[in-house]
Amino acid sequence: MATDRTTNRDRTRVVITGWGMVTPLGLDATTTWEGLLAGRSGIGPITQVEAGDLPVQIAGEVKGFDAAQHLPYKVVRRTDPYARYALVAAQEALKHSKLVIDESNADRVGVLMGSGYGPMKSIADHVRDLDAKGPRAVSPLAAVTGAIDSAPGEISMATGARGPSRAVSSACASGTDAIGEATRWIRTGASDVVIAGGADDIVTRVDIAGSGNARALSGRPGDPTEASRPFDEDRAGFVMAAGSGVVILESAEHALARGAQILAEVVGYGASSDAYHWTAPHPEGVSARRAMREALHDAGLAPGDVGYVNAHGTGTQLNDKSELNSLRAVFGTHIESIPVSSTKSMTGHMIGAAGAVEAIIGALVINEGSVPPTVNCERPIDPSVNFVAHTAQAHDVDVVMSNSFGFGGHNAVIVIRRWAA
């Protein structure tokens, strides 16, 4: 039963009218969604960097992406892969929304993109050039290519969006925070439309080595597609991945005035910090629980209204246990009556892109009536919870919660609801 929404009724409603994705499962939203429902994994051996001497040799790479097929040469030349993925996902989202940005609305269209690490591949390239060949070998575009705000900058220039544009970085919570903060932009009247989401590509030698040495990554031997095992007793770490997810957010008034198809409504957002440890979640999940409760309060909903949780579900020993305990604390026994799945079991962990992609997945669940599975969940850590093991399930869902918890104790949660005028 929903709680009193009196305080929420008069505020600006924020809706999703389009989305785009570039992931290890596909170069667009449709292909990615089909892969998820089929239980297909995008995880395999690392091919884009030399990995033979790294502590882990598997990742969720974006495969078959030819930037030249999507972007002008000058844009490709000055962008890191993470920004290219963001720009292509944004272009798909705009096309999906049928939004035209022109002189009549450009000043009211903002861009907010999240990234945990930004252009790590390009920064590494610039450092190698400097060390090997000297200062004159460093590209004059290095300051652009190596900036974490390059993705929102490129999207703004490519689309003509002249509202506020910036980057947000909160580790693995970045994509969710970007959508949540963009929702606030629209609620407060700063923008009518925001192109929002997240992107990352840190399948690099430095990042795989560092995360592998920290024992955060799954080094499970054998089939790479079985390495990501959220909520399984045999989980051994997350799998690094790359990608992007972008949504078009609009005020409901703006969307209805232009006759847009409304795909879902963003009704709640909550964020908090653990103030505890750089890599480990708080053992009691106190702040993660607060973020969930604040998102529900913002939505004017009770835990019993939620019909599906897209869990952060990284597959690490500490995260999955802490998240499940937090879900039980917030939802009580209701958590045993709804599906809870981690799509990272198939995509790997796309860091700053993860929350944005998973928010889109939540909206797709509402629209399509199917919940993607948690593959590799052979021995669930709690058999009383429906982790949607192995195979997608049909569920009629009106409300979705999507969780994102990042290194540094960043917690971000959004609640998405079926649109009802």
Side-chain angles (χ1 to χ4, degrees):
M1 179 70 80
T3 58
D4 183 8
R5 298 187 68 195
T6 303
T7 57
N8 296 340
R9 290 186 188 279
D10 295 331
R11 73 182 181 190
T12 299
R13 299 174 70 179
V14 180
V15 298
I16 300 172
T17 59
W19 50 57
M21 289 192 266
V22 174
T23 75
L25 289 173
L27 305 183
D28 55 41
T30 298
T31 307
T32 297
W33 178 244
E34 290 172 349
L36 291 169
L37 292 186
R40 179 168 59 86
S41 175
I43 296 166
I46 294 174
T47 63
Q48 295 173 7
V49 298
E50 174 55 48
D53 60 343
L54 295 178
V56 171
Q57 292 91 42
I58 62 170
E61 295 178 318
V62 173
K63 295 169 283 290
F65 183 89
D66 183 355
Q69 291 185 357
H70 303 279
L71 305 170
Y73 170 75
K74 288 185 178 180
V75 174
V76 174
R77 182 168 173 259
R78 70 177 183 239
T79 51
D80 181 87
Y82 106 99
R84 297 170 195 162
Y85 300 157
L87 186 49
V88 170
Q91 290 174 337
E92 181 189 5
L94 279 170
K95 183 177 180 181
H96 187 210
S97 74
K98 297 182 173 59
L99 175 68
V100 177
I101 300 174
D102 56 26
E103 285 298 317
S104 70
N105 62 7
D107 293 345
R108 301 289 299 165
V109 180
V111 183
L112 186 56
M113 289 296 299
S115 183
Y117 294 83
M120 291 297 291
K121 287 188 171 179
S122 294
I123 292 171
D125 288 343
H126 297 321
V127 171
R128 278 194 295 269
D129 288 342
L130 177 63
D131 289 346
K133 304 173 186 177
R136 291 186 63 81
V138 177
S139 170
L141 297 172
V144 173
T145 307
I148 198 168
D149 68 338
S150 60
E154 291 291 348
I155 292 170
S156 174
M157 286 185 280
T159 63
R162 296 199 300 253
S165 64
R166 64 195 60 163
V168 59
S169 185
S170 48
C172 313
S174 299
T176 299
D177 273 329
I179 294 173
E181 295 298 335
T183 296
R184 289 176 174 174
W185 282 6
I186 294 173
R187 285 180 181 171
T188 59
S191 300
D192 295 325
V193 179
V194 183
I195 304 166
D200 257 317
D201 185 356
I202 55 169
V203 184
T204 70
R205 286 179 55 78
V206 168
D207 293 295
I208 297 294
S211 296
N213 291 340
R215 304 193 180 201
L217 300 181
S218 175
R220 180 185 175 89
D223 187 347
T225 66
E226 298 178 358
S228 184
R229 310 182 71 82
F231 302 112
D232 184 73
E233 291 284 3
D234 298 322
R235 65 196 185 280
F238 73 88
V239 176
M240 195 75 81
S244 180
V246 176
V247 294
I248 305 302
L249 300 178
E250 301 184 51
S251 70
E253 180 182 10
H254 186 275
L256 292 170
R258 71 179 187 87
Q261 179 185 10
I262 295 177
L263 304 169
E265 182 178 4
V266 180
V267 290
Y269 168 54
S272 65
S273 298
D274 287 352
Y276 171 72
H277 191 274
W278 262 110
T279 57
H282 191 284
E284 297 176 9
V286 175
S287 294
R289 298 175 193 187
R290 189 170 73 253
M292 291 187 224
R293 289 181 174 127
E294 287 183 358
L296 288 169
H297 178 74
D298 188 40
L301 297 173
D305 295 314
V306 176
Y308 166 58
V309 175
N310 188 293
H312 186 55
T314 59
T316 64
Q317 285 289 329
L318 293 178
N319 173 87
D320 292 6
K321 180 181 178 181
S322 176
E323 183 173 13
L324 182 57
N325 288 340
S326 295
L327 287 168
R328 279 201 169 277
V330 173
F331 285 87
T333 57
H334 179 62
I335 203 62
E336 299 177 6
S337 63
I338 61 173
V340 178
S341 71
S342 172
T343 45
K344 290 183 181 71
S345 61
M346 295 170 280
T347 64
H349 192 348
M350 294 176 282
I351 313 298
V357 167
E358 288 155 14
I360 297 169
I361 291 168
L364 279 161
V365 167
I366 290 171
N367 281 270
E368 302 294 333
S370 294
V371 173
T374 307
V375 302
N376 303 320
C377 193
E378 303 283 351
R379 296 197 301 144
I381 60 177
D382 186 342
S384 67
V385 175
N386 176 14
F387 292 116
V388 196
H390 313 310
T391 306
Q393 298 174 3
H395 289 274
D396 185 17
V397 175
D398 286 326
V399 178
V400 170
M401 174 179 283
S402 182
N403 293 339
S404 296
F405 310 131
F407 282 0
H410 304 288
N411 306 304
V413 177
I414 61 171
V415 177
I416 300 169
R417 188 173 192 168
R418 186 186 302 275
W419 167 250

